[in-house]
Amino acid sequence: MSTHIKTSTLQLSASGLEVVRKDAVKAYPDECCGFLFGTETEGRKITLAVPVTNHKDGDKRRRFEIHPQDYLRAERLAAEIGLDLLGVYHSHPEHPALPSLTDLEMALPYFSYVIVSVKSGKVVDERSWKLNESLGLFEEEFIMQPIHLS
Amino acid sequence: MATIIIPTPLRKFTGNQSTFKVNDAGTISEAIHSLTDQYTDLKKHVIDEEGKIRSFVRLYLGDEDVSALDQKAETRIKESDVISIVPAIAGGKI
Protein backbone atom coordinates (compact mmCIF):
# COMPACT_ATOMS: atom_id res chain seq x y z
CA MET A 1 0.00 0.00 0.00
CA SER A 2 2.80 2.40 0.77
CA THR A 3 6.53 2.48 0.76
CA HIS A 4 9.09 4.28 2.86
CA ILE A 5 11.43 4.99 -0.04
CA LYS A 6 11.80 8.76 -0.18
CA THR A 7 12.41 9.63 -3.82
CA SER A 8 11.64 13.33 -3.77
CA THR A 9 11.72 16.31 -1.46
CA LEU A 10 9.19 18.90 -0.44
CA GLN A 11 9.89 22.27 1.11
CA LEU A 12 7.14 23.67 3.27
CA SER A 13 7.16 27.30 4.33
CA ALA A 14 6.99 27.84 8.07
CA SER A 15 3.80 29.88 7.62
CA GLY A 16 2.19 27.18 5.47
CA LEU A 17 3.09 24.48 7.95
CA GLU A 18 1.64 26.57 10.77
CA VAL A 19 -1.66 26.93 8.87
CA VAL A 20 -1.81 23.17 8.34
CA ARG A 21 -1.03 22.36 11.98
CA LYS A 22 -3.53 24.91 13.33
CA ASP A 23 -6.25 23.59 11.03
CA ALA A 24 -5.58 20.02 12.17
CA VAL A 25 -5.89 21.02 15.83
CA LYS A 26 -8.96 23.16 15.20
CA ALA A 27 -10.78 20.37 13.35
CA TYR A 28 -9.88 17.67 15.90
CA PRO A 29 -11.42 15.12 16.44
CA ASP A 30 -12.58 15.54 12.83
CA GLU A 31 -10.27 15.45 9.86
CA CYS A 32 -9.29 18.78 8.34
CA CYS A 33 -8.40 19.41 4.71
CA GLY A 34 -7.01 22.11 2.49
CA PHE A 35 -4.94 23.01 -0.54
CA LEU A 36 -1.22 23.55 -0.96
CA PHE A 37 0.18 26.12 -3.37
CA GLY A 38 3.72 26.94 -4.37
CA THR A 39 6.36 26.73 -7.04
CA GLU A 40 8.43 24.08 -8.76
CA THR A 41 11.20 26.07 -10.35
CA GLU A 42 13.86 24.78 -7.95
CA GLY A 43 12.25 21.73 -6.44
CA ARG A 44 8.77 21.66 -5.01
CA LYS A 45 8.19 24.48 -2.53
CA ILE A 46 4.89 24.96 -0.73
CA THR A 47 4.49 28.61 0.15
CA LEU A 48 0.78 28.81 0.89
CA ALA A 49 -1.74 26.52 2.60
CA VAL A 50 -5.44 27.31 2.40
CA PRO A 51 -7.91 25.41 4.61
CA VAL A 52 -11.30 24.41 3.19
CA THR A 53 -14.37 22.85 4.79
CA ASN A 54 -14.49 19.09 5.15
CA HIS A 55 -17.70 18.40 3.21
CA LYS A 56 -17.82 14.68 3.92
CA ASP A 57 -21.34 13.51 4.72
CA GLY A 58 -21.15 11.23 7.72
CA ASP A 59 -18.18 10.54 9.95
CA LYS A 60 -15.67 13.36 9.51
CA ARG A 61 -13.44 11.77 12.14
CA ARG A 62 -12.18 9.26 9.62
CA ARG A 63 -12.94 10.76 6.21
CA PHE A 64 -12.63 14.04 4.37
CA GLU A 65 -14.06 15.33 1.13
CA ILE A 66 -13.45 18.62 -0.63
CA HIS A 67 -16.39 20.22 -2.40
CA PRO A 68 -15.92 20.58 -6.18
CA GLN A 69 -16.63 24.32 -5.93
CA ASP A 70 -13.75 24.65 -3.47
CA TYR A 71 -11.52 22.83 -5.95
CA LEU A 72 -12.59 25.24 -8.71
CA ARG A 73 -11.80 28.19 -6.43
CA ALA A 74 -8.38 26.71 -5.65
CA GLU A 75 -7.49 26.41 -9.33
CA ARG A 76 -8.66 29.96 -9.94
CA LEU A 77 -6.74 31.27 -6.93
CA ALA A 78 -3.55 29.59 -8.18
CA ALA A 79 -3.94 31.31 -11.54
CA GLU A 80 -4.67 34.68 -9.92
CA ILE A 81 -1.69 34.70 -7.56
CA GLY A 82 0.76 33.05 -9.94
CA LEU A 83 1.37 29.90 -7.91
CA ASP A 84 0.85 26.26 -8.79
CA LEU A 85 -1.73 24.09 -7.07
CA LEU A 86 0.67 21.43 -5.82
CA GLY A 87 -1.28 19.31 -3.40
CA VAL A 88 -3.73 18.66 -0.65
CA TYR A 89 -3.35 18.23 3.08
CA HIS A 90 -5.56 16.44 5.57
CA SER A 91 -5.32 15.16 9.11
CA HIS A 92 -5.53 11.71 10.66
CA PRO A 93 -6.92 12.15 14.18
CA GLU A 94 -5.60 9.47 16.54
CA HIS A 95 -3.89 7.79 13.63
CA PRO A 96 -0.41 7.82 12.07
CA ALA A 97 0.48 10.12 9.17
CA LEU A 98 0.41 7.19 6.79
CA PRO A 99 -1.87 7.05 3.75
CA SER A 100 -4.82 4.68 4.02
CA LEU A 101 -6.23 2.49 1.29
CA THR A 102 -8.94 5.15 0.84
CA ASP A 103 -6.26 7.79 0.40
CA LEU A 104 -4.57 5.62 -2.22
CA GLU A 105 -7.80 4.90 -4.11
CA MET A 106 -8.55 8.62 -4.37
CA ALA A 107 -5.00 9.77 -5.06
CA LEU A 108 -4.24 11.85 -8.14
CA PRO A 109 -0.93 11.94 -9.94
CA TYR A 110 1.38 14.93 -9.43
CA PHE A 111 -0.15 16.14 -6.15
CA SER A 112 1.69 16.08 -2.84
CA TYR A 113 -0.49 14.68 -0.09
CA VAL A 114 0.56 16.02 3.29
CA ILE A 115 -0.94 14.04 6.16
CA VAL A 116 -0.90 15.35 9.72
CA SER A 117 -1.18 12.98 12.66
CA VAL A 118 -3.07 14.44 15.62
CA LYS A 119 -3.17 12.71 18.99
CA SER A 120 -5.15 14.01 21.97
CA GLY A 121 -5.64 17.26 20.09
CA LYS A 122 -1.95 17.84 19.41
CA VAL A 123 0.01 17.50 16.17
CA VAL A 124 2.58 14.74 16.59
CA ASP A 125 3.75 14.15 13.01
CA GLU A 126 3.38 15.33 9.43
CA ARG A 127 4.51 13.45 6.38
CA SER A 128 4.06 13.93 2.65
CA TRP A 129 3.20 11.36 0.03
CA LYS A 130 3.06 11.31 -3.74
CA LEU A 131 1.41 8.74 -5.99
CA ASN A 132 3.64 6.55 -8.10
CA GLU A 133 1.12 5.86 -10.82
CA SER A 134 2.98 3.04 -12.52
CA LEU A 135 3.43 1.12 -9.28
CA GLY A 136 0.03 2.07 -7.88
CA LEU A 137 1.42 3.11 -4.51
CA PHE A 138 2.46 6.11 -2.51
CA GLU A 139 6.07 7.14 -2.20
CA GLU A 140 7.07 9.33 0.69
CA GLU A 141 8.46 12.79 0.04
CA PHE A 142 11.15 14.01 2.37
CA ILE A 143 9.90 17.17 4.08
CA MET A 144 12.80 19.57 4.42
CA GLN A 145 13.12 21.94 7.33
CA PRO A 146 10.46 24.66 7.08
CA ILE A 147 11.58 27.61 5.05
CA HIS A 148 11.01 31.12 6.36
CA LEU A 149 9.81 33.50 3.68
CA SER A 150 10.13 37.24 3.95
CA MET B 1 -14.11 28.25 -29.52
CA ALA B 2 -15.18 26.91 -26.15
CA THR B 3 -12.46 26.31 -23.59
CA ILE B 4 -11.81 23.30 -21.36
CA ILE B 5 -9.71 23.91 -18.25
CA ILE B 6 -7.49 20.97 -17.35
CA PRO B 7 -7.00 20.41 -13.59
CA THR B 8 -3.40 20.76 -12.44
CA PRO B 9 -2.80 17.08 -11.53
CA LEU B 10 -3.88 15.94 -15.00
CA ARG B 11 -1.82 18.43 -17.00
CA LYS B 12 1.02 15.95 -17.31
CA PHE B 13 -1.26 14.17 -19.77
CA THR B 14 -1.81 17.29 -21.89
CA GLY B 15 1.81 18.34 -22.30
CA ASN B 16 1.36 20.76 -19.37
CA GLN B 17 -1.35 22.63 -21.25
CA SER B 18 -3.81 24.16 -18.79
CA THR B 19 -6.51 24.81 -21.36
CA PHE B 20 -7.84 23.18 -24.49
CA LYS B 21 -9.76 24.99 -27.19
CA VAL B 22 -12.60 23.04 -28.74
CA ASN B 23 -13.51 23.45 -32.38
CA ASP B 24 -17.02 22.62 -33.53
CA ALA B 25 -18.07 21.06 -30.24
CA GLY B 26 -21.82 20.67 -30.06
CA THR B 27 -22.23 19.35 -26.53
CA ILE B 28 -20.17 19.18 -23.35
CA SER B 29 -19.73 15.44 -23.84
CA GLU B 30 -18.48 15.91 -27.39
CA ALA B 31 -16.06 18.58 -26.23
CA ILE B 32 -14.61 16.30 -23.55
CA HIS B 33 -14.26 13.44 -26.02
CA SER B 34 -12.52 15.80 -28.42
CA LEU B 35 -10.01 16.53 -25.66
CA THR B 36 -9.43 12.88 -24.73
CA ASP B 37 -9.15 11.89 -28.39
CA GLN B 38 -6.24 14.32 -28.69
CA TYR B 39 -4.63 13.38 -25.36
CA THR B 40 -5.24 9.66 -25.10
CA ASP B 41 -3.31 9.22 -21.83
CA LEU B 42 -5.82 11.55 -20.22
CA LYS B 43 -8.77 9.42 -21.27
CA LYS B 44 -8.69 6.84 -18.47
CA HIS B 45 -8.75 9.63 -15.88
CA VAL B 46 -11.85 11.28 -17.34
CA ILE B 47 -13.84 8.69 -19.32
CA ASP B 48 -14.93 5.24 -18.09
CA GLU B 49 -15.10 1.98 -20.05
CA GLU B 50 -18.63 2.80 -21.20
CA GLY B 51 -17.56 6.12 -22.64
CA LYS B 52 -19.19 8.12 -19.86
CA ILE B 53 -17.63 10.70 -17.55
CA ARG B 54 -15.96 8.87 -14.64
CA SER B 55 -17.74 8.93 -11.31
CA PHE B 56 -14.67 10.49 -9.65
CA VAL B 57 -14.80 13.46 -12.02
CA ARG B 58 -17.18 16.42 -12.04
CA LEU B 59 -17.65 18.80 -14.91
CA TYR B 60 -18.54 22.44 -14.47
CA LEU B 61 -19.92 24.75 -17.13
CA GLY B 62 -18.82 28.10 -15.79
CA ASP B 63 -19.92 27.86 -12.16
CA GLU B 64 -22.69 25.33 -12.84
CA ASP B 65 -22.29 21.67 -11.95
CA VAL B 66 -23.03 19.89 -15.23
CA SER B 67 -24.78 17.05 -13.37
CA ALA B 68 -27.36 19.62 -12.22
CA LEU B 69 -28.15 20.83 -15.75
CA ASP B 70 -31.30 19.52 -17.44
CA GLN B 71 -29.37 17.98 -20.31
CA LYS B 72 -26.29 17.21 -18.20
CA ALA B 73 -23.28 16.43 -20.44
CA GLU B 74 -25.51 16.60 -23.49
CA THR B 75 -26.01 20.33 -22.92
CA ARG B 76 -25.03 22.32 -26.00
CA ILE B 77 -22.23 24.80 -25.53
CA LYS B 78 -21.44 28.21 -26.94
CA GLU B 79 -18.08 29.52 -28.12
CA SER B 80 -17.70 31.63 -24.99
CA ASP B 81 -18.30 28.71 -22.61
CA VAL B 82 -15.68 27.45 -20.20
CA ILE B 83 -15.79 23.84 -19.06
CA SER B 84 -13.76 22.80 -16.01
CA ILE B 85 -12.76 19.24 -15.20
CA VAL B 86 -12.86 18.82 -11.44
CA PRO B 87 -11.32 15.69 -9.92
CA ALA B 88 -12.74 14.29 -6.69
CA ILE B 89 -10.55 15.13 -3.70
CA ALA B 90 -11.25 12.85 -0.77
CA GLY B 91 -9.68 10.35 1.58
CA GLY B 92 -9.27 9.65 5.23
CA LYS B 93 -7.52 7.57 7.81
CA ILE B 94 -9.52 4.38 7.27
Side-chain angles (χ1 to χ4, degrees), chain A:
Chain A
M1 188 169 65
S2 64
T3 174
H4 292 272
I5 300 168
K6 297 181 183 182
T7 57
S8 55
T9 60
L10 179 74
Q11 286 192 65
L12 260 167
S13 68
S15 58
L17 184 57
E18 188 180 356
V19 168
V20 172
R21 287 173 172 168
K22 280 187 176 176
D23 195 29
V25 170
K26 184 182 172 189
Y28 181 89
D30 289 345
E31 294 196 5
C32 70
C33 51
F35 290 104
L36 302 169
F37 303 85
T39 61
E40 282 210 290
T41 47
E42 294 174 14
R44 181 166 282 196
K45 292 180 184 174
I46 304 295
T47 55
L48 176 68
V50 176
V52 294
T53 301
N54 179 355
H55 272 277
K56 177 67 185 173
D57 281 335
D59 194 353
K60 294 182 173 66
R61 291 173 299 180
R62 63 189 188 95
R63 292 286 172 86
F64 80 94
E65 188 175 317
I66 292 178
H67 195 281
Q69 284 280 11
D70 285 332
Y71 183 86
L72 268 184
R73 288 190 198 102
E75 288 279 12
R76 289 171 183 170
L77 176 64
E80 283 169 19
I81 62 179
L83 293 176
D84 295 322
L85 179 58
L86 295 175
V88 172
Y89 72 85
H90 73 282
S91 60
H92 281 181
E94 303 300 334
H95 207 75
L98 302 172
S100 66
L101 192 57
T102 306
D103 290 329
L104 182 61
E105 285 172 352
M106 299 303 296
L108 292 161
Y110 180 76
F111 268 178
S112 292
Y113 287 89
V114 171
I115 301 177
V116 184
S117 175
V118 187
K119 294 197 173 166
S120 303
K122 293 181 179 174
V123 172
V124 295
D125 193 17
E126 56 257 327
R127 296 167 76 168
S128 185
W129 306 86
K130 197 172 178 183
L131 180 67
N132 180 322
E133 246 199 315
S134 56
L135 297 177
L137 48 74
F138 272 115
E139 290 176 343
E140 188 168 6
E141 295 181 299
F142 178 72
I143 300 180
M144 299 172 71
Q145 285 294 311
I147 48 174
H148 292 268
L149 302 171
S150 55

Side-chain angles (χ1 to χ4, degrees), chain B residues 15-50:
Chain B
N16 285 324
Q17 296 298 308
S18 59
T19 60
F20 178 76
K21 298 287 184 185
V22 187
N23 292 311
D24 304 325
T27 67
I28 294 168
S29 176
E30 287 167 357
I32 294 296
H33 279 88
S34 173
L35 168 71
T36 57
D37 285 347
Q38 176 146 344
Y39 297 107
T40 52
D41 290 342
L42 179 67
K43 191 168 186 174
K44 68 174 182 177
H45 293 278
V46 179
I47 307 288
D48 67 16
E49 293 77 6
E50 296 176 358

Side-chain angles (χ1 to χ4, degrees), chain B residues 73-89:
Chain B
E74 299 311 313
T75 301
R76 297 196 71 79
I77 52 176
K78 304 185 296 289
E79 285 201 346
S80 57
D81 280 335
V82 176
I83 301 164
S84 297
I85 299 171
V86 179
I89 308 288

